[in-house]
Structure formats: structure tokens, C-alpha cells
Amino acid sequence: MAITNGALGDVVTAPAADHHEHVTRLRTGEVGSINSWELVTAVDGPGTRLTVFMNGCPLRCLYCQNPETWFLKDGVEVEASEIISRIGRYAPLLRATGGGLTLSGGEILMQPAFAARVLRGARELGVHTALDTSGFLGRALTDQALADTDLVLLDVKSGDPETYRRATGEALEPTLEFGRRLAREGRVEVWVRFVLVPGLTDEWENVEKVAAYVASLNELRPGTVTRAEVLPFHQLGREKWHALGRPYTLEDTQPPATELIERVRGQFRARGLTTY
């Protein structure tokens, strides 16, 4: 588990229920399937963040560093009220550092009703909120939940549809449309993340398409994207794939060289984007 504060041992898990009640509570977001949580600074948004990693993801990214979060059934079921209570306990620290709550995964929008409940609870506590998402399931996010979201960390994995499908197994367009929705919404801040994988996402033209798309969001609404992050591929997730017995096709892929990282960041900066 990707946890630094213990493996959910101090979280009150959801009580047992009959099957019908269980399905209903999942559908309404009273409970959610969680992998882990951690307190982290300057990684999943500004300041100190309480980041909750949810289970369930429709994508099968070749470079996924949390493959243990793919399936809802593999998580621990936790009451939304318990997560909100935890946010309340940390709220003074989160506010004092300019931080807040980040819902991550897996893919948080596999559990949109749970996300909506927790976002509303955090908003009522005066805590900054962020969603870390691929955007693939962006249609599942209600307008009210979006209104309770301050920041979206949007993972744009490729600008070329074929490369996107090769990297994730799914289509690119839902992510692009979700980004456009965020720009049209007129309030939420967006940080775009792009994972640079040698031999997979590093082609000049692919990067150009990503950078052009990100810049287009700022054309729809100036200031939509305040930060573009080029994240170098690493092998920190490889042992998880091995432990789960899943074939890992990037076994011999090396992290990108410094020169490649700077070239790609330069492509984003050439579009006027604040890039890290």
C-alpha cells in the first residue's frame, strides 16, 4: 500500500450489511472502497495534503505505480463520514499550510457519489479540495461535486489517440472533453500532469499535441491551467506488478535522460505554460 500513516488500521471501517443494503450504500456514496491515505507536502496539490487513495480504475496504464488499486473489491470499505471526520481533525494543519484534501486513486471517479459526499464535507469544513484524475470518467462528476472542487490534477497521458490507447487500453477523447468542461466551468483551477515514458509517450509530435491541448484550455478560459508537470517515468511500481503476478511490459524501460526531460518541458514552455 502507498501509505505513510499506517494501513488504515485506525480508520473505522463500514459495518457489515446485507447485500442489497451494501450495494445501495456504495451507490449512494455512504461508503467507499479505499486503498490507503497519507499526509504529504507539495505533491498532490499545494501545501500539506490529506490524500486518500481510492480503489477502482477503468484504465490499465502500462506504467501504473499503484496496480493494487485497480479493483474496487480489493479495497477496504470506509464510511464517508469517517473520512470527513478525519479531515476535520487535520483541518487546522491543512488550512495553516495552505493545503487541503486530495482524492486520488486508482481513479476517484469510479466512486463519484462517495467523492461528492467527501468533497461537500471538506467544503463545509473550509478545507481546500482537489481531485487527482485521468478525466476518463469525467461525465460521472456532477456539477455540484465540481462546484465543491477547487483544483483538478488532470493526468493527460498522451495527445495522440493511438498512443493513449496503447498506454492505457482506452480512448483519449473523454479526457480531452473533461478538460474542456473544466475550462468552461469558469472557476476550478487545473494542474496538468504528463508522464514521460521513453519509447511510449516521448515522441515529439505526441508531446506537441499534449502541449497544444493544454494551451487550448487557457484559450477557452485564460488562467485555467496554472501549472504543467512533466513527470519522469520511474520503476517504483515494478515490484507491485511482480507481487500481483501481472505481466509488466516496461521491465527494461529506463527513466528518461535529463536532456529528454528538458526537451519536453521546453515544448510546454513554448506554449506559454508554467512548467515543472
Side-chain angles (χ1 to χ4, degrees), residues 31-166:
V31 298
S33 177
I34 292 178
N35 175 263
S36 56
W37 66 273
E38 64 182 4
L39 278 174
V40 65
T41 299
V43 174
D44 298 315
T48 299
R49 316 295 300 179
L50 174 62
T51 300
V52 181
F53 295 91
M54 307 296 296
N55 268 68
C57 186
L59 306 184
R60 294 294 178 263
C61 299
L62 298 180
Y63 51 83
C64 180
Q65 64 179 4
N66 294 314
E68 75 279 15
T69 66
W70 284 358
F71 301 108
L72 288 167
K73 66 180 180 60
D74 293 334
V76 175
E77 290 190 1
V78 176
E79 302 273 356
S81 59
E82 166 61 18
I83 297 300
I84 295 168
S85 176
R86 180 176 297 277
I87 296 166
R89 293 199 294 274
Y90 286 111
L93 169 65
L94 302 178
R95 288 194 292 259
T97 64
L101 166 76
T102 299
L103 297 179
S104 186
E107 170 52 65
I108 178 57
L109 296 183
M110 282 281 285
Q111 302 185 62
F114 183 86
R117 282 180 180 267
V118 175
L119 290 168
R120 175 96 298 254
R123 175 55 58 87
E124 291 174 350
L125 290 166
V127 171
H128 181 274
T129 57
L131 292 179
D132 183 3
T133 175
S134 71
F136 181 74
L137 297 176
R139 288 184 178 181
L141 187 69
T142 65
D143 289 342
Q144 180 58 62
L146 184 56
D148 287 330
T149 304
D150 295 303
L151 171 67
V152 172
L153 310 174
L154 182 61
D155 188 1
V156 182
K157 301 171 187 293
S158 170
D160 173 67
E162 288 187 17
T163 301
Y164 192 94
R165 189 171 292 280
R166 184 156 60 97

Side-chain angles (χ1 to χ4, degrees), residues 2 40 93 121 130 144 156 159 163 166 185 190-191 200 224-225 257 273:
V40 65
L93 169 65
Q144 180 58 62
V156 182
T163 301
R166 184 156 60 97
E185 189 273 342
V190 178
W191 291 7
L200 182 63
T224 296
V225 180
L273 300 164

Side-chain angles (χ1 to χ4, degrees), residues 14-28 31 77:
D18 64 43
H19 179 71
H20 176 74
E21 180 185 355
H22 174 254
V23 171
T24 298
R25 298 183 79 219
L26 282 171
R27 187 177 64 250
T28 61
V31 298
E77 290 190 1

Side-chain angles (χ1 to χ4, degrees), residues 173-241:
E173 183 56 30
T175 291
L176 302 184
E177 178 52 35
F178 182 61
R180 291 189 286 264
R181 177 186 174 194
L182 296 177
R184 292 191 297 263
E185 189 273 342
R187 186 194 60 82
V188 68
E189 180 183 3
V190 178
W191 291 7
V192 167
R193 291 173 157 179
F194 171 70
V195 180
L196 176 59
V197 186
L200 182 63
T201 65
D202 61 337
E203 289 284 345
W204 175 278
E205 187 59 31
N206 183 53
V207 176
E208 281 292 289
K209 289 179 179 178
V210 176
Y213 167 72
V214 177
S216 75
L217 300 182
N218 282 343
E219 292 172 2
L220 279 173
R221 172 170 60 93
T224 296
V225 180
T226 59
R227 179 181 182 119
E229 297 182 340
V230 176
L231 306 178
F233 167 77
H234 57 68
Q235 289 284 9
L236 296 180
R238 177 168 52 190
E239 295 309 313
K240 293 182 181 181
W241 285 74

